[in-house]
Amino acid sequence: MSKTSHLRSALAAGASAAALAAFAGPALAQTEIEELVVTAEKREQSLQDVPVAVTAFTSERRDVLGVNTVEDLARITPSLSYTNNDRLSIRGFGRLTNAIGTDPSVALYSDGIFSNSMADASTPPLFIERTEILRGPQGTLYGRNSIGGAMNVISKRPTEDFNAEVRAQVGNYDYYRIDGLIRGPIAPNLRFLLGGSVEKRGEGFINNIGPARDTAEVDRWMVEFQVEADLGENTTARLRYSKFDWDDSYGVGNTLNNNISPYDTTSFTGAGTSALYYNTALGYTGTNPAVSDPYTINTNWDAYGSLDNHHRLHFDLTHDFGWGTLKYLAGYQQYDYNTSSDSDGTPRVGPQNINLPDLDGPGPLTAFTATNVATDARTFYEERQSWFSNEINLSSSGEGPFNWIVGAFQYYQEYDQPQGIRVVGDPGMFAPVSLSGAAVPANPRGAFLYVDGHLETKSYAAFGQIDWEFAPTLTLTAGLRYTKDQKDGYDIARYVARVPSAALLQGLRAAGVPLAVAQGLSLDLSTFQVCGGFTIAACAANPLTADLVPNPTGGLRRNLSGDWDALTGTLGVQWEPDADTNLYARYSRGYKSGGWLGSNGLTPSPYADPEYVDSYEIGAKKNVGGSLQVNTAAFYSDYQGFQTPLTVALGNITGSRFLNLEAEVYGAELEALWSPIDNLQLMLNYAYLHAEVTEGCCFVDTPDPRAQQPGARPFGPALPNGSQPQTLVGNRLPLTPEHKVTLGATYTWEFGAGRLTASGTYTWTDDQQSTIFANPGYTSPAFELADFRLLWRDADDRYTVIGYVKNAFDEVGYQNSTLGSPTAVGPRRTVILNFPRTYGLELQYRF
């Protein structure tokens, strides 16, 4: 079925459901839709009363729909997109790089405490009370990095009555999972929660026909402990500790190098401006198995991702004054994350040549070639991160015409991000010398490309919001937040090459380097690679590199710092003519801190200015007879300063820069629930999204430097090196499918011994770009996913048995698609695949 046919059938089904719902009288419906209480505006409200576009899932709802992961949340939530490299996007507001010095555009809060990683959203469902997704800028109450929206994860808390739950799940690909949770009283006014989870997938669904193991195996565990105490009649304090440990080969942050273009018989990783590459004249010329089957690879090195040394500590204290509530929220979190993969994506292990990247245009600098030196090469990427925050807020009790909240927020972060490509089987790479013959620091990783960045962030904010019911059915909302951000850090890069070619030897000899030094040794070529000369003087002579200094542990270093501040806020009006109708109009101003492109090979002029957005939204939330719930929103956003890394002209050459673009975003969203008869519930979620660049020129698409691919927008004359700049005006923002629709249905049969519920969901997601260029290689084609579940609950609600199948029709879909640097046969394409068909059985027992 074609893309148009899929969309037409999905919209026809949705339109039919909506039409029936519109004409259905209350007499048809005898099953009421349950009211859902959320804390989207930092106080408890019915979802239908909140004048913000919010999608929320309780733990029970997630069970029925099979929403177990962040990918599941993104699939059925309007205007929400996610890829498993820790990038979340709402309404087109996301991020194009995880480079240190940059920030996400969607804020994640766990129990009201800011988290710098989406890993918190992967907490097992047993431990989650509710998940809320707020769409649109949340610059008043949430502030930091909420320019696109916010995700609130609300955990289960200790209880005054003893209760416990155990869950066990088995599935295909040798999968199992065991979760357990127990909570109850310790003593009067003192309660606890203790839980743990173990998850394992022993068989990867990415089949490796080479020497390495299959990919997409999972080995995870977590523990959590909470203690909650009543400190007097009106004060409650809670301490929460969690620890995660992951060992995944397809986990959060780990991009699998599953390449679906033919193997390049000239170079493995391409001739780009930021990475060394291999010439395969001596090596592998086989066929890429992923061309015919994207779930098959052929490598000699395992892909993996591990999360270690993770600790999450939360503390909250609440005091009720009667007229208002005081809350104090404090959190600390740290983790070490590591990934590694086969650098060339093939089973090759034999000798190979290493060339320096071309500094003056496409193609290798053939005069600078290290020959027959490395037996293997592997990428590595690490994140070592810790942060803590404090917030105190005071809010009114909710009585009377005024409701208000005021507060202050503080945040501190430390972050290191070493990464690169290391050589295996070449001991000479560990002890390089300088081009002048002088000794240089050792190269302990054996890396021919090594970059690192260090970041310290301090952020402070003060905020306030007031809701004034100035008439019986009308409420005015006004809010303001002041934010101050400061970042300090440094950036490091080092380039090392083994045994120069004859041509390079001649050049070194001409520069006065002794032959005995140059011949047969590894050389630290950092100043040549970055500054275009053999000594540090070359860096000082170039204005783009004059701020670089020798790094004590090798290579070059640049110190970085910046500070920014902003006023953000909201202004809105809400009309509730009756208890079942909520109409609102809202303006929101969002802000994301400026930053820099770190761990990127000492990019010239790495700074980017802050992002801002002015967003206008109108919405309607309507209940009809307790059986139909329809929530709609339409929005327009003026997006100023979208931060993105781009390749630009630097004189006669090209290089990467961190720049700001302008864009416009508008769209519409619909969420509908309908219970036309007893025990039947129908769901329709739909989003239309238009998000495109309005100002942005002129840049080079590195995989298509001559702008020859379909979708290219050449602009202006070509550069002396042959590269052709493009304008980006009219291109779509990343992760913005124009249409996304989800249809769902659940039906429950009642029996004396219990009840049986059948549910199914179908999602169709339009094609989307993974980056800012319209190159087809960056396009993830439209895809569809269907899930089905059967749930049996006994009459006492102690047992639940769930049978499920996800991606029931085994459809192939990509979350993301990227391209490498150009090669003799074109750039290599790397995709992040959706999971294939999975199925299994889950047993839940409560006591």
Side-chain angles (χ1 to χ4, degrees):
M1 187 180 293
S2 69
K3 164 182 167 179
T4 304
S5 299
H6 280 307
L7 180 60
R8 186 182 299 116
S9 61
L11 292 180
S16 299
L20 287 173
F23 291 99
L28 281 178
Q30 302 175 27
T31 303
E32 291 193 358
I33 296 173
E34 181 181 3
E35 180 184 27
L36 181 58
V37 176
V38 297
T39 53
E41 298 213 305
K42 297 203 173 186
R43 56 190 173 94
E44 291 190 349
Q45 294 174 278
S46 169
L47 174 68
Q48 295 305 97
D49 292 335
V50 180
V52 176
V54 183
T55 300
F57 300 94
T58 62
S59 179
E60 293 77 11
R61 182 72 173 163
R62 290 179 65 162
D63 264 356
V64 171
L65 297 179
V67 179
N68 298 317
T69 65
V70 186
E71 288 91 344
D72 291 334
L73 288 169
R75 182 167 64 86
I76 65 177
T77 301
S79 302
L80 179 65
S81 298
Y82 177 75
T83 65
N84 77 340
N85 53 4
D86 209 25
R87 297 181 191 176
L88 196 69
S89 175
I90 296 179
R91 293 180 176 175
F93 296 88
R95 65 190 304 179
L96 276 182
T97 175
N98 288 28
I100 196 168
T102 67
D103 293 305
S105 296
V106 177
L108 176 66
Y109 283 82
S110 178
D111 284 349
I113 296 171
F114 177 77
S115 177
N116 200 53
S117 170
M118 288 296 154
D120 281 27
S122 298
T123 301
L126 176 60
F127 298 84
I128 301 302
E129 185 69 36
R130 187 174 66 256
T131 304
E132 304 170 357
I133 299 100
L134 288 67
R135 302 190 294 278
Q138 306 296 320
T140 305
L141 298 182
Y142 293 92
R144 180 168 179 77
N145 299 339
S146 63
I147 194 168
M151 180 182 290
N152 286 335
V153 180
I154 296 92
S155 69
K156 292 181 178 177
R157 300 177 68 111
T159 53
E160 295 183 353
D161 299 323
F162 176 83
N163 62 87
E165 183 170 349
V166 177
R167 299 182 178 184
Q169 185 180 158
V170 294
N172 60 332
Y173 296 106
D174 194 21
Y175 178 83
Y176 72 84
R177 179 174 189 155
I178 300 173
D179 304 319
L181 180 69
I182 185 171
R183 50 187 178 165
I186 300 174
N189 301 319
L190 185 65
R191 302 166 292 280
F192 81 98
L193 179 151
L194 178 64
S197 174
V198 176
E199 180 182 16
K200 189 174 182 66
R201 183 188 299 115
E203 179 185 347
F205 56 76
I206 306 293
N207 178 36
N208 193 341
I209 63 175
R213 67 180 183 180
D214 292 346
T215 297
E217 299 169 348
V218 168
D219 189 353
R220 296 186 176 190
W221 61 267
M222 71 154 294
V223 294
E224 178 159 313
F225 175 71
Q226 298 183 35
V227 60
E228 184 178 74
D230 297 326
L231 308 178
E233 185 176 348
N234 299 317
T235 305
T236 300
R238 181 181 61 142
L239 183 67
R240 178 189 181 200
Y241 170 77
S242 308
K243 178 175 175 58
F244 297 89
D245 190 283
W246 298 350
D247 185 6
D248 296 0
S249 56
Y250 203 55
V252 173
N254 184 35
T255 302
L256 175 67
N257 288 324
N258 185 39
N259 304 282
I260 60 174
S261 59
Y263 282 143
D264 176 9
T265 57
T266 300
S267 65
F268 281 141
T269 61
T273 58
S274 63
L276 305 179
Y277 80 101
Y278 297 84
N279 182 285
T280 64
L282 304 174
Y284 188 75
T285 58
T287 300
N288 186 349
V291 173
S292 57
D293 179 7
Y295 289 94
T296 300
I297 58 176
N298 187 359
T299 70
N300 63 292
W301 178 245
D302 299 335
Y304 78 91
S306 66
L307 181 72
D308 303 302
N309 196 31
H310 175 273
H311 302 279
R312 179 176 67 186
L313 189 65
H314 286 179
F315 175 77
D316 56 70
L317 184 144
T318 303
H319 179 77
D320 185 1
F321 291 105
W323 52 266
T325 302
L326 179 69
K327 290 185 178 180
Y328 171 64
L329 304 166
Y332 171 82
Q333 194 162 173
Q334 68 174 47
Y335 68 80
D336 295 341
Y337 186 76
N338 298 270
T339 67
S340 179
S341 64
D342 193 309
S343 177
D344 54 54
T346 76
R348 174 184 170 79
V349 296
Q352 44 198 299
N353 302 340
I354 300 177
N355 290 359
L356 290 173
D358 190 352
L359 295 178
D360 60 1
L365 284 172
T366 54
F368 295 86
T369 304
T371 58
N372 300 331
V373 296
T375 59
D376 197 3
R378 300 165 187 171
T379 64
F380 63 90
Y381 171 86
E382 300 177 20
E383 292 181 2
R384 298 192 294 268
Q385 190 166 185
S386 65
W387 65 90
F388 66 83
S389 65
N390 292 275
E391 178 178 326
I392 187 167
N393 65 66
L394 180 65
S395 59
S396 62
S397 64
E399 299 177 359
F402 291 96
N403 281 298
W404 49 264
I405 182 173
V406 294
F409 173 80
Q410 171 272 332
Y411 172 80
Y412 177 79
Q413 172 195 19
E414 289 190 5
Y415 189 4
D416 292 277
Q417 194 183 62
Q419 56 188 297
I421 305 176
R422 63 188 181 93
V423 172
V424 179
D426 185 3
M429 292 292 293
F430 291 85
V433 298
S434 70
L435 285 165
S436 65
V440 297
N443 185 24
R445 295 176 181 263
F448 64 83
L449 168 64
Y450 176 80
V451 296
D452 193 4
H454 176 74
L455 173 69
E456 296 181 18
T457 300
K458 299 176 183 177
S459 183
Y460 306 92
F463 60 89
Q465 181 169 304
I466 186 169
D467 298 321
W468 174 32
E469 189 179 341
F470 63 92
T473 61
L474 293 169
T475 301
L476 179 70
T477 297
L480 195 65
R481 186 183 189 102
Y482 173 75
T483 303
K484 174 71 174 179
D485 289 311
Q486 179 180 338
K487 294 181 178 180
D488 296 282
Y490 56 80
D491 204 6
I492 294 170
R494 190 179 195 185
Y495 301 84
V496 175
R498 185 82 162 89
V499 189
S501 68
L504 178 54
L505 281 173
Q506 293 174 6
L508 293 174
R509 290 286 286 155
V513 179
L515 178 63
V517 172
Q519 194 171 31
L521 296 174
S522 295
L523 300 177
D524 189 325
L525 298 176
S526 300
T527 57
F528 172 80
Q529 167 62 19
V530 178
C531 308
F534 290 154
T535 67
I536 191 65
C539 299
N542 186 340
L544 295 175
T545 58
D547 56 348
L548 301 182
V549 297
N551 182 56
T553 58
L556 298 170
R557 169 173 168 154
R558 171 191 285 132
N559 292 324
L560 299 161
S561 66
D563 60 85
W564 306 268
D565 63 345
L567 279 173
T568 56
T570 189
L571 183 65
V573 62
Q574 181 180 10
W575 180 39
E576 296 179 285
D578 56 64
D580 294 319
T581 306
N582 177 10
L583 306 176
Y584 66 89
R586 199 174 185 103
Y587 161 78
S588 296
R589 171 77 164 173
Y591 152 82
K592 186 171 83 171
S593 167
W596 56 74
L597 195 64
S599 295
N600 199 53
L602 296 174
T603 296
S605 304
Y607 293 97
D609 293 330
E611 294 184 0
Y612 300 95
V613 61
D614 292 300
S615 180
Y616 308 85
E617 180 176 324
I618 57 173
K621 299 184 177 183
K622 179 67 176 178
N623 293 329
V624 179
S627 64
L628 174 64
Q629 185 180 96
V630 179
N631 296 343
T632 62
F635 53 89
Y636 172 83
S637 297
D638 180 13
Y639 195 1
Q640 309 141 35
F642 172 54
Q643 299 169 357
T644 180
L646 290 164
T647 300
V648 300
L650 300 174
N652 291 331
I653 64 173
T654 57
S656 182
R657 294 278 300 275
F658 198 33
L659 298 170
N660 298 94
L661 307 180
E662 308 294 310
E664 69 173 5
V665 180
Y666 58 82
E669 298 159 347
L670 167 68
E671 295 179 283
L673 285 175
W674 182 34
S675 294
I677 59 174
D678 267 351
N679 301 329
L680 174 64
Q681 188 172 96
L682 304 176
M683 175 181 72
L684 168 63
N685 290 348
Y686 170 73
Y688 165 75
L689 188 58
H690 169 96
E692 69 175 34
V693 178
T694 56
E695 292 184 23
C697 193
C698 297
F699 313 107
V700 175
D701 182 11
T702 303
D704 181 27
R706 301 183 188 275
Q708 297 174 335
Q709 292 297 311
R713 300 173 183 264
F715 191 92
L719 302 177
N721 65 5
S723 296
Q724 172 61 61
Q726 301 184 39
T727 179
L728 299 179
V729 175
N731 286 0
R732 288 158 54 186
L733 294 182
L735 300 181
T736 55
E738 187 175 14
H739 301 280
K740 185 170 72 170
V741 60
T742 297
L743 302 174
T746 63
Y747 188 82
T748 300
W749 293 268
E750 301 284 352
F751 303 94
R755 58 195 186 278
L756 178 67
T757 299
S759 72
T761 58
Y762 166 86
T763 300
W764 186 88
T765 303
D766 212 340
D767 60 54
Q768 57 186 335
Q769 296 295 117
S770 298
T771 188
I772 205 72
F773 288 94
N775 190 323
Y778 297 127
T779 302
S780 299
F783 64 88
E784 54 188 342
L785 292 174
D787 296 349
F788 300 100
R789 296 169 73 81
L790 277 175
L791 298 84
W792 168 262
R793 296 183 180 89
D794 72 306
D796 297 326
D797 201 24
R798 297 184 65 186
Y799 298 94
T800 302
V801 180
I802 304 173
Y804 66 89
V805 56
K806 297 175 75 68
N807 191 6
F809 304 114
D810 209 20
E811 295 288 332
V812 176
Y814 309 147
Q815 297 178 19
N816 201 45
S817 178
T818 57
L819 294 173
S821 299
T823 70
V825 294
R828 299 188 65 203
R829 188 181 187 192
T830 300
V831 301
I832 302 177
L833 290 162
N834 287 329
F835 280 35
R837 181 192 296 119
T838 57
Y839 51 85
L841 186 69
E842 180 178 350
L843 173 64
Q844 302 177 359
Y845 175 59
R846 291 168 287 274
F847 58 93

